[in-house]
Amino acid sequence: MNDTLQNLLNEQIALLKKEHLYKPLVSVESPPGARVKVGGRDLINLSGNNYLGLANDARVKAAAIRAVEKWGAGAGAVRPIIGNLAIHDELERELSAFKGVPDVLVFTSGFTANAGVIPALAGENDVILSDELNHASIIDGCRLSKARRVPFKHKDMDSLEDALKAAKNARLRLVITDGVFSMDGDVAPLDQICDLAARYDAAVMVDDAHGSGVMGKNGRGTAYHFGVTNRVDVQLGTLSKAVGVVGGYIAGSAALKDYLTQRARPFLFSTGAPPAVAGACIAAIQIMASDDTLTARLWENARYWQAGLKRLGWDTGATETPITPVMVGDEEKTQALQRELRAENVIALAVVFPTVARGRARVRTMPTAAHTKADLDEALAAFERAGKRLGLA
Ligand SMILES: *Cc1c(COP(=O)(O)O)cnc(C)c1O
């Protein structure tokens, strides 16, 4: 082993620990539900993105097993060669119908969808206008693109308009925003963004990873919620969060899909989803499309949870969705709150720099449709005791 490399790694890890930015991996000993087993203990899980509880749904699991039996364990090749199984096409048809768009292309993750679509669409003479709080995978997608990236202030339409004016000589202007912002839970003003984009001849892309399964009728997403499905050029969704499995997709026009099958590098050079994933996703989308009780329960639990935290004096920031940050600010205190909650049998993870800005640390909590009122009451009592012990609330 190379000593220089090993020393570098050890120095960097020590530095992260010193700055309270080091996050050890948690080993979960049960399926991802409202409660999980960690270290042999039963904990209330407030850190998952499994919004609707579909990750461990019996119907979704059965569909995964059926798909393995029919199609095998792996796709066998990248999709553009001979790995495009009919079950991939079926998933894309299911998603197009659900989203109400002409076509959908599935990627192996939301992250790779961003890494594929952004450089494929925006090149040398183009400008990407990107909300400053956009997800890391959008930022990395932009880094892979030769386009100039101009950040605009978070949800600030004056700032976006200034940036659009400054980009008037570009070949293409592409506005990119999260639909639901993953660390704060606030929602992009998509109607206003579409209005501005139309005025300045710009295309609009929405990363709806946290809007899929959460926003709009039956969780059809943030564009559906605002009634702008036909005005958003590119919708990115994930199959890894509310849908409960793994994968990402791009929803839009037939030409968009067609072009991406030729030019999106993670699609061209990385093997497609295993059949189990495609089968499980089809089942999950069918459940979502036919029944809105899970999304309704998610929102009811979110309102109950947020009202409870506020009653105890906690600051839940700017959230408008089930994503519920418990704002602390200081990194060390945030880590201490996470530890105290764990002692109270609640797993709610601290989010610190670089995921959020320094001094904006928080414990991020995610109520889901799978939680019972009793789970949430127990977790509220844990927050009350932990807050008192630390003098935070
Ligand atoms: C989670 C997330 C992604 C990545 O999705 P994966 O399917 O987990 O790779 C992309 N964008 C946003 C906004 C996300 O929150």
Side-chain angles (χ1 to χ4, degrees):
M1 277 199 267
N2 178 267
D3 284 342
T4 309
L5 175 61
Q6 297 307 317
N7 290 338
L8 273 173
L9 298 176
N10 288 326
E11 268 169 33
Q12 291 299 319
I13 292 167
L15 188 63
L16 288 171
K17 286 186 173 163
K18 190 167 148 250
E19 296 189 338
H20 306 285
L21 300 177
Y22 180 83
K23 290 163 286 185
L25 284 177
V26 176
S27 187
V28 180
E29 297 145 9
S30 67
R35 288 174 184 259
V36 289
K37 194 182 265 187
V38 177
R41 281 164 59 211
D42 226 17
L43 306 180
I44 299 176
N45 174 14
L46 286 173
S47 285
N49 295 323
N50 178 23
Y51 285 108
L52 303 177
L54 291 172
N56 194 37
D57 184 283
R59 296 161 291 181
V60 176
K61 289 196 292 186
I65 292 163
R66 280 198 308 277
V68 169
E69 282 168 353
K70 179 160 180 199
W71 295 98
V78 296
R79 288 178 62 193
I81 297 185
I82 194 68
N84 185 48
L85 305 177
I87 197 169
H88 294 132
D89 297 331
E90 190 188 335
L91 171 58
E92 289 173 348
R93 280 195 302 275
E94 204 70 56
L95 279 167
S96 310
F98 181 64
K99 297 289 288 183
V101 298
D103 238 325
V104 161
L105 185 67
V106 169
F107 289 74
T108 45
S109 71
F111 197 106
T112 56
N114 266 323
V117 71
I118 297 172
L121 298 184
E124 210 154 11
N125 300 312
D126 305 329
V127 172
I128 297 168
L129 306 110
S130 173
D131 187 292
E132 65 186 350
L133 293 191
N134 275 347
H135 190 256
S137 59
I138 297 178
I139 294 167
D140 284 15
C142 292
R143 285 182 181 146
L144 291 169
S145 160
K146 293 203 174 77
R148 192 157 61 87
R149 185 175 74 93
V150 181
F152 60 91
K153 292 207 186 91
H154 180 51
K155 290 175 42 172
D156 182 330
M157 294 302 101
D158 293 333
S159 170
L160 173 58
E161 184 160 15
D162 289 344
L164 283 164
K165 279 182 187 155
K168 70 174 191 302
N169 292 327
R171 183 188 66 164
L172 172 75
R173 284 156 293 283
L174 176 64
V175 181
I176 309 183
T177 182
D178 277 15
V180 174
F181 288 86
S182 50
M183 293 304 139
D184 293 281
D186 53 342
V187 177
L190 274 191
D191 46 352
Q192 296 173 47
I193 289 174
C194 287
D195 288 346
L196 264 186
R199 206 168 318 140
Y200 291 91
D201 182 27
V204 176
M205 170 170 162
V206 179
D207 177 339
D208 215 17
H210 283 282
S212 317
V214 176
M215 297 291 289
K217 187 171 179 290
N218 294 50
R220 284 178 167 79
T222 308
Y224 193 97
H225 167 80
F226 280 103
V228 295
T229 299
N230 296 328
R231 303 176 69 198
V232 172
D233 299 273
V234 184
Q235 288 190 65
L236 181 147
T238 180
L239 303 166
S240 325
K241 291 177 178 147
V243 178
V245 192
V246 72
Y249 61 90
I250 298 295
S253 67
L256 175 66
K257 173 179 181 173
D258 203 18
Y259 180 72
L260 291 175
T261 63
Q262 308 304 306
R263 278 291 174 266
R265 293 168 68 84
F267 179 83
L268 294 172
F269 300 112
S270 185
T271 301
V277 166
C281 289
I282 291 168
I285 300 291
Q286 284 170 346
I287 292 168
M288 287 162 60
S290 64
D291 178 6
D292 69 356
T293 54
L294 291 177
T295 24
R297 199 177 312 146
L298 166 67
W299 280 92
E300 191 189 315
N301 280 346
R303 278 188 286 267
Y304 185 81
W305 175 243
Q306 289 172 5
L309 284 173
K310 279 185 199 142
R311 207 166 42 240
L312 295 173
W314 294 99
D315 170 11
T316 55
T319 186
E320 304 167 64
T321 63
I323 295 172
T324 310
V326 178
M327 306 301 292
V328 177
D330 178 76
E331 283 77 20
E332 195 175 351
K333 283 188 187 146
T334 308
Q335 305 269 26
L337 178 56
Q338 172 188 299
R339 266 196 314 276
E340 291 298 325
L341 288 168
R342 183 77 72 89
E344 297 279 350
N345 295 331
V346 168
I347 188 149
L349 294 191
V351 181
V352 298
F353 179 82
T355 310
V356 294
R358 282 185 204 269
R360 300 277 299 155
R362 66 206 62 181
V363 166
R364 182 166 169 269
T365 65
M366 310 282 287
T368 71
H371 288 95
T372 61
K373 287 271 154 50
D375 293 331
L376 298 178
D377 285 338
E378 209 176 310
L380 285 170
F383 262 93
E384 184 171 18
R385 286 191 294 269
K388 287 224 173 88
R389 278 205 293 280
L390 295 169
L392 286 172

